[in-house]
């Protein structure tokens, strides 16, 4: 779901972030050597890196991931008090241009045995080759572009299904769970939105009772609303981002539309409810290859993150970090060992069974449907 | 096509409501052009600040899901004035900072145009960075409700639900449609009379006709410019309130697209002509909706701009011609 917009914003942030990460990296490195020299024999100073946005326009998603990684590291360090793992954050601002030099820094830091990230599809695309050549394993918690696993990279992994898994799941949900008879499909003409909507249309086939295309940043959807109502559709699917999705849902409800409103992960954001209002957003269904946080995880997350609630991709980031930390716990403290460990990993994670295909896709690509209830994005169900 | 005829009234009335907002913003462009022969490209930000003024009024009064209908109406009345104040103030600021120093030095028109574009960026980014800016002076925490999520959408904390009033064809006209269209028309009539009847309005027309002669006759050109910017800003403030009632969501760059549309409306109607701005706005709003219905939603801007080109081909000065200075306006 991560768009070019996000990517651009991220690029801008990366420069500053690079500096910060560099300084921070120096600090942690010296800490690491200190503890190594003073620590008990046999404890090798190892660390895992987070590469992704921490500041910038996509900072929220990035911080969700950082928080999840933090929980995993704290869990590990509590279990292994005499041989702690350090986390090193590299803030790319989600920008491919800023991520590239950071990837070099990460590769040159020999204490790093694995990377959680890169966060978004753009930065993954820009850095995948370098990580692959360096043999440094990466596990992304949010990069969903399907093409990323087709480059022959040896070290790329992700713990969530790609965009191609979402459209069929959405269509299945619309037909099986919502029992729709006629679906109106709208998209925002973006790569992501149009791609998702086209996939849904293909899977729905003859159930599609009309389509329309809007523009990003548009705010008045009068004609689209008229078309939807005139089509007599009982379900609307929208492929696009939350800003427009919220306004469409609001204007549909205001015009008296009574059917379902379904959208993808681009709309899974509190901003959707904000724009739609709680009446407009009520009972909307938002799908995502990302899983909900369990109560147990939420408690731990809040304790580690100043009471902040986990968000989109927090649980995925935890799972990604957990895979790397399990490897370190098993004594895989060199990069080739860790890579081999991740490739053969097969354990239940928070969000799904974590097991990777040879190209790095997770085998169990689960898509969830979230229902908006009382002005909040509420419970998630697995689309089966 | 069948769809268009079946929903003719719905498309037309929602188009008129949208067009009314274009028209109110278009007034700002057209008045400044009438007096200065300059396009005030920063006018879109004047509108954007108005939309935030509306949200801030609701936030300041702690409005939320619990607010009663009466409370919402009361707050809307307060926010109209707040938005007029803020938008008018920003318009005056633009006049003071981006125009007056240049006009004083008799710099070429192009320079003022560029200065306005600069002012537009500065204003928009100031809004988009408001969390950082207040952070510098340590106010970001106390003002968190107002400045958080500066680059994200901001929405009204209350829901304004339209109610059906009466039917035209098979479309139920809603309270919001009526409110928007009627308010816009009333403001338009008020402004038209002000420019035609009042002393300040006479000054505006005099400066528009011939600045030198007006100055010789004792018209204070600086004061006239201020009034022009202030009135344009206040109209944008009303437009901003109506926009928030209809849409309910804004952000730091929300002015851009609306500004382009309003500017188009002003040109379509005949830039410099108040009644032209009204006509241009309404025609543009309706044309967009009809175009969306007949050809496709993704074509609505194409339809609107082709219409503009066609109108300018046959009437180069717009539908009603340029005329703030002429006796008609």
């Amino acid at each position: 779901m991560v768009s070019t917009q996000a990517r651009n914003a991220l690029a801008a942030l990366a420069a500053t972030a690079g500096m910060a990460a560099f300084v921070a990296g120096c600090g942690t490195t010296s800490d690491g050597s200190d503890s190594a020299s003073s620590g008990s024999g046999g404890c090798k100073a190892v660390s895992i890196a987070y590469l992704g946005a921490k500041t910038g326009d996509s900072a929220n998603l990035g911080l969700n991931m950082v928080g999840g990684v933090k929980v995993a590291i704290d869990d590990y360090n509590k279990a292994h008090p005499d041989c702690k793992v350090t986390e090193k954050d590299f803030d790319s601002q989600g920008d491919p241009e800023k991520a590239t030099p950071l990837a070099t820094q990460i590769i040159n830091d020999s204490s790093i045995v694995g990377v959680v990230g890169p966060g978004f599809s753009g930065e993954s695309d820009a850095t995948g080759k370098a990580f692959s050549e360096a043999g440094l394993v990466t596990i992304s918690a949010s990069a969903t572009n399907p093409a990323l696993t087709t480059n022959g990279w040896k070290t790329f992994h992700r713990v969530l299904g790609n965009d191609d898994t979402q459209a069929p799941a959405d269509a299945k949900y619309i037909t099986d769970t919502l029992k729709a008879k006629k679906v109106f499909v709208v998209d925002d003409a973006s790569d992501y939105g149009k791609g998702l909507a086209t996939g849904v249309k293909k899977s729905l086939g003859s159930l599609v009772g009309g389509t329309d295309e809007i523009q990003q940043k548009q705010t008045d959807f009068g004609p689209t609303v008229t078309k939807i109502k005139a089509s007599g559709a009982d379900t609307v699917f929208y492929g696009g981002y939350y800003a427009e999705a919220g306004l469409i849902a609001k204007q549909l409800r205001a015009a008296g539309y009574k059917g379902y409103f379904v959208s993808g992960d681009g709309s899974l954001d509190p901003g959707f409810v904000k724009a739609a209002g709680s009446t407009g957003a009520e009972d909307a269904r938002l799908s995502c290859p990302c899983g909900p946080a369990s109560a147990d995880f939420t408690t731990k997350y809040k304790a580690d993150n100043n009471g902040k609630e986990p968000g989109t991709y927090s649980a995925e980031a935890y799972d990604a970090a957990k895979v790397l930390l399990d490897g370190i716990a098993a004594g895989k403290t060199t990069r080739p060992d860790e890579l081999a460990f991740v490739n053969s990993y097969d354990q239940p994670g928070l969000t799904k069974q974590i097991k990777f295909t040879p190209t790095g896709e997770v085998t169990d690509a689960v898509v969830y449907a979230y229902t908006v209830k009382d002005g909040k994005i509420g419970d998630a169900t697995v689309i089966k | 096509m069948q769809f268009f005829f079946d929903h003719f009234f719905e498309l037309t009335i929602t188009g008129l409501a949208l067009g009314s907002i274009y028209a109110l913003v278009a007034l700002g462009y057209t008045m400044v052009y009438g007096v200065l022969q300059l396009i005030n490209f920063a006018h879109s930000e004047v509108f954007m600040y108005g939309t935030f003024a509306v949200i801030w009024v609701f936030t300041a009064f702690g409005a939320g899901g619990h607010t009663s209908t009466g409370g919402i109406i009361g707050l809307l009345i307060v926010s109209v004035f707040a938005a007029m104040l803020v938008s008018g103030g920003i318009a005056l600021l633009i006049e003071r900072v981006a125009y007056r120093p240049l006009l004083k030095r008799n710099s070429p028109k192009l320079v003022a145009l560029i200065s306005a574009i600069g002012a537009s960026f500065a204003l928009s980014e100031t809004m988009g960075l408001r969390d950082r800016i207040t952070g510098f002076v340590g106010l970001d925490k106390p003002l968190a409700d107002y400045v958080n999520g500066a680059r994200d959408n901001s929405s009204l904390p209350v829901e304004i639900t339209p109610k059906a009033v009466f039917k035209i064809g098979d479309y139920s006209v809603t309270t919001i449609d009526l409110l928007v269209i009627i308010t816009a028309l009333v403001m338009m009539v008020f402004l038209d009379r002000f420019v035609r009847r009042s002393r300040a309005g006479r000054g505006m027309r005099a400066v528009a006709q011939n600045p030198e002669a007006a100055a010789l006759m004792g018209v204070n050109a600086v004061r006239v410019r201020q009034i022009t910017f202030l009135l344009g800003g206040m109209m944008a403030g009303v437009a901003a309130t109506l926009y928030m009632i209809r849409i309910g969501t804004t952000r730091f760059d929300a002015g851009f697209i609306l500004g382009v549309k309003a500017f188009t409306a002003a040109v379509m109607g005949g830039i410099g002509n108040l009644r032209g701005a009204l006509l241009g706005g309404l025609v543009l709003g309706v044309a967009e909706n009809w175009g969306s219905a007949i050809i496709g939603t993704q074509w609505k801007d194409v339809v609107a701009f082709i219409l503009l080109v066609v109108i300018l081909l046959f009437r180069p000065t717009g539908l009603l011609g340029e005329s703030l200075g002429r006796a008609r306006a």
Side-chain angles (χ1 to χ4, degrees):
Chain A
M1 68 158 271
V2 172
S3 66
T4 22
Q5 287 174 319
R7 242 185 274 161
N8 291 344
L10 287 175
L13 283 168
T16 25
M19 286 299 291
F22 181 70
V23 175
C26 291
T28 35
T29 312
S30 55
D31 284 348
S33 54
D34 282 355
S35 59
S37 54
S38 63
S40 53
C43 177
K44 190 179 164 203
V46 290
S47 52
I48 61 173
Y50 162 79
L51 174 60
K54 274 189 88 178
T55 57
D57 286 2
S58 308
N60 284 343
L61 283 178
L63 290 172
N64 288 344
M65 290 190 257
V66 175
V69 172
K70 211 167 154 197
V71 176
I73 299 252
D74 281 1
D75 276 359
Y76 179 90
N77 285 344
K78 262 179 220 149
H80 303 85
D82 49 346
C83 193
K84 291 187 176 176
V85 168
T86 44
E87 181 204 349
K88 294 181 181 179
D89 290 344
F90 294 84
D91 180 3
S92 66
Q93 300 180 328
D95 181 350
E97 275 174 48
K98 299 202 172 104
T100 308
L102 294 178
T104 313
Q105 274 184 43
I106 293 172
I107 290 165
N108 291 337
D109 182 339
S110 58
S111 76
I112 295 174
V113 296
V115 180
V116 176
F120 299 151
S121 296
E123 46 190 344
S124 300
D125 194 37
T127 57
K129 191 155 176 267
F131 283 126
S132 178
E133 280 167 3
L136 178 56
V137 62
T138 65
I139 307 179
S140 179
S142 64
T144 54
N145 188 321
L148 288 173
T149 47
T150 60
N151 296 309
W153 299 331
K154 293 189 292 289
T155 56
F156 182 86
H157 302 76
R158 56 180 155 208
V159 289
L160 76 176
N162 66 35
D163 289 342
D164 285 348
T165 62
Q166 202 181 161
D170 285 345
K172 205 165 160 27
Y173 184 75
I174 290 169
T175 49
D176 295 359
T177 310
L178 303 181
K179 315 262 185 239
K181 299 274 175 297
K182 198 178 215 185
V183 186
F184 197 99
V185 182
V186 183
D187 71 72
D188 67 351
S190 70
D191 282 351
Y192 158 74
K194 197 170 180 149
L196 184 60
T198 309
V200 168
K201 268 186 260 183
K202 220 163 82 189
S203 306
L204 284 175
S206 61
L207 283 182
V208 177
T211 60
D212 201 10
E213 189 166 285
I214 57 113
Q215 291 155 11
Q216 279 183 288
K217 300 214 167 177
Q218 191 180 331
T219 54
D220 186 289
F221 301 98
T224 305
V225 168
T226 309
K227 282 182 198 176
I228 292 171
K229 275 174 39 201
S231 74
D234 53 19
T235 303
V236 171
F237 181 83
Y238 176 70
Y241 297 96
Y242 66 89
E244 289 82 19
L247 291 177
I248 294 175
K250 174 182 174 165
Q251 291 172 24
L252 269 175
R253 294 288 179 223
Y257 170 75
K258 299 268 187 288
Y260 289 109
F261 184 87
V262 185
S263 189
D265 56 340
S267 303
L268 186 70
D269 187 288
F272 170 77
V273 184
K274 230 169 76 181
S278 50
T279 319
E282 187 66 20
D283 206 35
R285 313 295 168 106
L286 309 172
S287 74
C288 186
C290 55
S294 63
D296 182 39
F297 177 68
T298 306
T299 318
K300 278 200 259 178
Y301 188 96
K302 281 169 118 171
D304 277 354
N305 293 284
N306 303 322
K308 248 187 82 193
E309 294 264 348
T312 307
Y313 303 136
S314 288
E316 275 74 19
Y318 175 89
D319 278 350
K322 181 84 179 359
V323 173
L324 297 175
L325 292 166
D326 282 356
I328 294 169
K332 316 289 183 195
T333 53
T334 63
R335 288 180 182 179
D337 285 356
E338 182 79 340
L339 177 60
F341 179 83
V342 172
N343 281 337
S344 60
Y345 194 84
D346 189 2
Q347 295 281 331
L350 274 184
T351 56
K352 55 186 80 73
Q353 182 75 15
I354 309 288
K355 180 178 193 306
F356 299 101
T357 67
T359 57
E361 296 283 7
V362 68
T363 48
D364 186 18
V366 188
V367 178
Y368 293 85
Y370 293 76
T371 306
V372 178
K373 208 161 185 283
D374 301 327
K376 276 219 163 86
I377 295 173
D379 294 341
T381 52
V382 176
I383 302 175
K384 278 184 195 139
Chain B
M1 222 38 189
Q2 190 53 43
F3 167 76
F4 170 68
F5 290 118
D6 286 350
H7 298 88
F8 177 80
F9 290 109
E10 175 164 3
L11 291 165
T12 308
I13 289 164
T14 50
L16 284 176
L18 184 63
S20 304
I21 295 174
Y22 291 161
L24 280 175
V25 180
L27 284 177
Y29 287 98
T30 221
M31 288 207 308
V32 170
Y33 184 85
V35 169
L36 288 176
Q37 273 79 53
L38 279 175
I39 309 295
N40 177 13
F41 276 115
H43 191 62
S44 49
E45 307 331 315
V46 171
F47 165 82
M48 181 270 288
Y49 274 77
T51 59
F52 277 97
V54 176
I55 292 186
W56 291 341
V57 165
F58 277 81
T59 312
F61 282 91
H66 54 83
T67 313
S68 64
T69 314
I72 292 176
I73 293 172
L75 284 175
L76 279 175
I77 293 170
V78 177
S79 26
V80 166
F81 289 105
M84 285 167 81
L85 200 71
V86 169
S87 292
I90 294 288
L92 282 181
L93 184 74
I94 293 169
E95 193 273 335
R96 183 71 190 83
V97 177
Y99 282 97
R100 205 188 297 175
L102 296 171
L103 294 170
K104 216 188 264 169
R105 291 179 183 78
N106 272 327
S107 52
K109 295 248 150 98
L110 193 59
V111 175
L113 193 80
I114 292 166
S115 154
I117 294 174
S120 169
F121 278 117
L123 285 168
S124 159
E125 287 302 317
T126 303
M127 186 54 87
L129 295 169
R130 60 188 188 275
D131 51 345
R132 310 267 182 102
I133 293 167
T134 47
F136 287 140
V137 288
L139 284 173
D140 54 337
K141 290 278 171 332
L143 292 178
D145 288 346
Y146 302 90
V147 299
N148 269 358
R151 297 195 89 77
D152 216 335
N153 285 335
S154 303
S155 303
L156 277 183
V158 298
E159 286 178 56
I160 300 171
T161 25
K163 289 193 180 56
V165 187
F166 57 85
K167 279 196 162 207
I168 297 182
D170 58 354
Y171 176 62
S172 312
V173 180
T174 67
T175 38
I176 292 183
D177 294 332
L178 281 182
L179 179 73
V180 170
I181 296 171
I182 292 174
T183 312
L185 288 177
V186 167
M187 292 314 290
M188 221 43 100
V189 171
F190 160 77
L191 187 70
D192 194 58
R193 292 186 80 83
F194 180 84
V195 171
R196 268 140 67 90
R197 300 285 167 82
S198 74
R199 197 180 154 77
R202 207 177 310 141
M204 282 168 66
R205 283 182 290 139
V207 173
Q209 261 176 12
N210 188 332
E212 283 85 17
L216 287 173
M217 299 306 287
V219 176
N220 182 343
V222 173
R223 172 58 51 82
V224 164
R225 276 207 307 268
Q226 280 180 326
I227 293 174
T228 309
F229 273 87
L230 180 67
L231 282 174
M234 285 162 70
M235 293 299 143
V238 177
T241 314
L242 298 177
Y243 178 87
M244 290 312 285
I245 293 173
R246 245 179 91 79
I247 308 292
T249 294
T250 183
R251 60 189 255 166
F252 72 102
D253 57 1
F256 179 73
I257 290 182
L258 205 116
V260 170
K261 293 283 169 64
F263 174 60
T264 310
V267 173
M268 205 182 259
I271 192 150
N273 185 320
L274 293 183
R275 293 171 185 186
L278 173 66
L279 185 64
L282 297 180
V283 167
L284 185 67
V286 171
E288 280 191 1
N289 269 11
W290 287 0
S292 307
I294 297 171
I295 309 179
T297 311
Q298 63 271 47
W299 292 90
K300 75 178 210 172
D301 289 347
V302 179
V303 173
F305 287 109
I306 287 179
L307 183 70
L308 175 72
V309 170
V310 171
I311 288 176
L312 293 184
L313 268 180
F314 292 101
R315 288 193 64 93
T317 53
L319 289 170
L320 297 185
E322 304 176 36
S323 78
L324 189 68
R326 315 250 146 63
R328 274 200 290 138

